[in-house]
Amino acid sequence: MTTKPARSKRATVHDVALEAGVSRGTVSRYVNGERYVSAAAREAIEAAIAKVGYVPNTAARNLVMQRTQAVGFIVHEPHSLFVEDPNIGEILLGANTRLSEADHQMAVLIVDTERDTDRVARYLSGGLVDGVIIVSARADDPITRVVERLQLPAAYVGHPPGAASTASFVVIDNRGAARSITERLAATGRRRIGMIAAALDRDSGADRLAGFREALGDAFDEALVEPVPLYSYSAGRDGMRRLLERAPDLDGVFAASDAVAAGAIEAIKESGRQVPDDIGVVGFDDSAWARRTTPPLSTVSQPAAGLGAGAAELVLARLHGEDPPAERRLDCEIVWRGSA
Amino acid sequence: MTTKPARSKRATVHDVALEAGVSRGTVSRYVNGERYVSAAAREAIEAAIAKVGYVPNTAARNLVMQRTQAVGFIVHEPHSLFVEDPNIGEILLGANTRLSEADHQMAVLIVDTERDTDRVARYLSGGLVDGVIIVSARADDPITRVVERLQLPAAYVGHPPGAASTASFVVIDNRGAARSITERLAATGRRRIGMIAAALDRDSGADRLAGFREALGDAFDEALVEPVPLYSYSAGRDGMRRLLERAPDLDGVFAASDAVAAGAIEAIKESGRQVPDDIGVVGFDDSAWARRTTPPLSTVSQPAAGLGAGAAELVLARLHGEDPPAERRLDCEIVWRGSA
DNA sequence: GCAATTTCTGTGAACGTACACAGAATGCCA
DNA sequence: TGGCATTCTGTGTACGTTCACAGAAATTGC
């Protein structure tokens, strides 16, 4: 008696063919649901597949088909932000849902360190994804360059990093929304309105500031704008402290994101002032933060899941050889709660 | 003049060999950093690779190597929870960091609908991952069964879903931590301590309740335990409302998670009581919620990133043919803030 | 009842890589 | 100079699938 193999090898299309008494080609046709498979063959193949436990090998299929049915979801963020910013999670889920409907898999690629950059670049170059969704890219990004060089079908969520002819962008109307909510804040009777402007190196940050400036018109005062690097709680808190020191007579503030607004509220309370009585605060994103502050935030509701879904649609369209619009702009809604 | 090809094909190892005037084998050896490549050949190959822009095709390599250098990260959660629960994000990042160090890619697989189940099962069966990390699996899970059937090296974060000989588990000491924090709460002089017990169908939920019961000993009162289905804010708020109605004399409460605790605090304030003066509240997880409530939560700090990293290590060990321990238990720390 | 069509099937090639093996070149020592 | 170990190289095969093609079988039309 010979020793039985330690690990039973996976069944291949060949094994099924042998078991069913037909050829590889016929099995392949059956598996891919093509026409021209006789009833007899079909039954024999079904039985054989069940018996040997056949599952197609995707790597082999990918190799010959030259596609993978997978889309990369690239996030370039410091890890902490990925955790803190609920929008990214929702964008991811929105994209995943749409991709899943189209029978595509999502590979999440987080780029933080130098090392990640290399690995992700290798992964993309290796032909394991048909296209990519890119979230919050910076202007001069090695990953972006790799994507462009490979001519990989791409859709960006947010900031368009330079001109890339092969890419589409799905964005929200940051400027319009910032203008609307600032106008709304002004309409509550505030006279000295400041802004904590975050991430000015990105389109989103710059556009929100532009909208703010537009809304105030002549009343705009450069000195009441406090720039901070990130959309984070601590940046908001620190920025607000500085702003209050500079302008103690402030009675309204537009924070560039809810996380920033939450930090700002802490700083305001710290200083002994009341929200919204002394200072009205509005945020941006309608993230989980917005319902957790006291009072809850008036803010801009950002269709995060819609952004993800939109990006997925744009990539899928490209994969199907269509030529989708270069930009898709989603509207935002203002949600008025208690903070202003 | 002939038309140039619309899309230039990717360069293969064959093209490089031709360009460098050597054979496929030699190029392959160079690319994989093997010995026995002459200096002359090396230089020629380097030049050729640069010239034709060669990148190895991972699908082809996967096929012949019978491995993919990728690990699946499976989350079975309703979408909303994935977004709300910051621990999952941190677990993901912890795992990603460790996998990335070991040059492995992570494929995120979110299982929510029936449809997801099929797709993920197909993906796993297709041989695109060498192993999996599974977060918050339920007891009778189709995905878990697929993983077991495929004998895929696996590591579970949290709940061990039945006996699976091929898997390892990385868990936190839920029971011990629940006991500690309940004792600590009791030590502040509380006499009527209740618990909002969430997700009792999971080990984590059941163990936290067990630790609570252990800590109180004879003082334990079944009537002061309010079970809720999920670790969510709204579940906590609703549960606390019911508990307060049933036991208006309550002076302490252990919430099964920070999100639950945050909801509980809202309900307590709603009822006109003060935290911590009238009722002391403690949570579990030390998530982002903990620092956002007023007052900030006393809670159990859960090493979420450590859980992810631990799971990654266990899977990697299995992939290297080692036989890691079946369970790795991580300790938690108690963080005392203002809520009790 | 024979040609023309439609349905069905098997075979060989290709995808791009890794690996085993045979054999060529080189170096060393007696 | 011959023998032998060492370094290097090229060729053929395998991985598991899809696809094109040729040809067999069944069905149709007159």
Side-chain angles (χ1 to χ4, degrees), chain B residues 206-326:
Chain B
D207 286 350
R208 289 175 198 184
L209 174 55
F212 173 74
R213 167 176 268 158
E214 252 175 60
L216 293 186
D218 291 342
F220 175 78
D221 181 354
E222 185 77 43
L224 297 187
V225 174
E226 177 68 30
V228 299
L230 296 175
Y231 288 120
S232 73
Y233 181 89
S234 55
R237 187 191 53 213
D238 300 347
M240 192 70 209
R241 284 182 187 147
R242 287 193 295 274
L243 188 56
L244 280 176
E245 208 159 308
R246 205 159 67 234
D249 58 336
L250 211 69
D251 62 359
V253 66
F254 168 39
S257 86
D258 288 351
V260 171
I265 288 180
E266 166 160 337
I268 291 170
K269 289 182 178 168
E270 230 176 53
S271 78
R273 293 174 175 84
Q274 299 287 322
V275 176
D277 302 341
D278 301 323
I279 301 185
V281 179
V282 295
F284 205 111
D285 289 345
D286 195 23
S287 66
W289 290 99
R291 265 157 280 204
R292 267 174 238 164
T293 57
T294 319
L297 279 177
S298 296
T299 186
V300 173
S301 171
Q302 181 171 332
L307 287 169
E313 280 166 17
L314 290 174
V315 170
L316 289 170
R318 282 183 186 282
L319 292 181
H320 294 148
E322 299 160 28
D323 196 32

Side-chain angles (χ1 to χ4, degrees), chain A residues 10 55 58 79 83 93 97 100-101 103 105-106 108-110 115-116 119 122-123 125-126 289 292, chain B residues 10 55 58 79 83 93 97 100-101 103 105-106 108-110 115-116 119 122-123 125-126 289 292:
Chain A
R10 289 179 55 137
V55 189
T58 315
H79 280 175
V83 175
L93 291 169
T97 302
S100 153
E101 283 166 10
D103 242 327
Q105 172 56 34
M106 194 170 79
V108 175
L109 304 163
I110 300 165
R115 193 194 173 88
D116 291 335
R119 185 177 45 82
R122 268 210 319 283
Y123 189 82
S125 307
W289 290 98
R292 267 174 236 164
Chain B
R10 288 179 55 138
V55 188
T58 316
H79 279 176
V83 175
L93 291 170
T97 302
S100 152
E101 284 167 8
D103 243 327
Q105 173 55 34
M106 193 170 81
V108 175
L109 304 162
I110 300 165
R115 194 194 174 87
D116 292 335
R119 186 176 45 82
R122 266 210 321 283
Y123 190 82
S125 307
W289 290 99
R292 267 174 238 164

Side-chain angles (χ1 to χ4, degrees), chain B residues 30-308:
Chain B
Y30 168 78
V31 170
N32 295 317
E34 282 171 38
R35 286 163 59 198
Y36 303 146
V37 179
S38 68
R42 194 184 343 266
E43 279 173 34
I45 292 171
E46 276 167 4
I49 285 181
K51 179 169 179 199
V52 302
Y54 169 72
V55 188
N57 181 315
T58 316
R61 179 177 282 168
N62 288 350
L63 180 59
V64 64
M65 303 277 281
Q66 304 283 61
R67 65 183 161 72
T68 63
Q69 297 274 89
V71 170
F73 185 92
I74 305 176
V75 191
H76 343 226
E77 288 280 7
H79 279 176
S80 58
L81 255 189
F82 183 90
V83 175
E84 266 197 31
D85 184 351
N87 276 315
I88 293 189
E90 280 205 44
I91 293 168
L92 187 150
L93 291 170
N96 187 64
T97 302
R98 193 64 97 248
L99 290 175
S100 152
E101 284 167 8
D103 243 327
H104 279 245
Q105 173 55 34
M106 193 170 81
V108 175
L109 304 162
I110 300 165
V111 183
D112 184 9
T113 64
E114 201 62 36
R115 194 194 174 87
D116 292 335
T117 306
D118 289 354
R119 186 176 45 82
V120 168
R122 266 210 321 283
Y123 190 82
L124 296 177
S125 307
L128 291 178
V129 292
D130 297 335
V132 289
I133 294 170
I134 304 182
V135 180
S136 66
R138 304 295 168 107
D140 57 337
D141 202 300
I143 295 292
T144 305
R145 281 199 295 271
V146 169
V147 169
E148 284 173 19
R149 189 168 53 70
L150 292 172
Q151 308 234 38
L152 218 49
Y156 291 84
V157 173
H159 177 88
S165 56
T166 61
S168 296
F169 307 96
V170 45
V171 297
I172 56 167
D173 186 2
N174 276 297
R175 187 155 151 183
R179 191 183 337 108
S180 302
I181 198 158
T182 306
E183 283 167 354
R184 182 79 187 261
L185 178 60
T188 64
R190 315 287 173 178
R191 293 281 148 249
R192 293 277 287 165
I193 300 180
M195 171 168 182
I196 304 187
L200 291 174
D201 56 335
R202 296 199 217 164
D203 273 12
S204 64
D207 286 350
R208 289 175 198 184
L209 174 55
F212 173 74
R213 167 176 268 158
E214 252 175 60
L216 293 186
D218 291 342
F220 175 78
D221 181 354
E222 185 77 43
L224 297 187
V225 174
E226 177 68 30
V228 299
L230 296 175
Y231 288 120
S232 73
Y233 181 89
S234 55
R237 187 191 53 213
D238 300 347
M240 192 70 209
R241 284 182 187 147
R242 287 193 295 274
L243 188 56
L244 280 176
E245 208 159 308
R246 205 159 67 234
D249 58 336
L250 211 69
D251 62 359
V253 66
F254 168 39
S257 86
D258 288 351
V260 171
I265 288 180
E266 166 160 337
I268 291 170
K269 289 182 178 168
E270 230 176 53
S271 78
R273 293 174 175 84
Q274 299 287 322
V275 176
D277 302 341
D278 301 323
I279 301 185
V281 179
V282 295
F284 205 111
D285 289 345
D286 195 23
S287 66
W289 290 99
R291 265 157 280 204
R292 267 174 238 164
T293 57
T294 319
L297 279 177
S298 296
T299 186
V300 173
S301 171
Q302 181 171 332
L307 287 169

Side-chain angles (χ1 to χ4, degrees), chain A residues 75-88 138 202 229-233 259, chain B residues 93:
Chain A
V75 191
H76 342 228
E77 288 281 6
H79 280 175
S80 59
L81 255 188
F82 184 90
V83 175
E84 266 196 33
D85 185 351
N87 275 314
I88 293 190
R138 305 293 170 109
R202 297 198 218 163
L230 297 174
Y231 288 120
S232 72
Y233 181 88
Chain B
L93 291 170

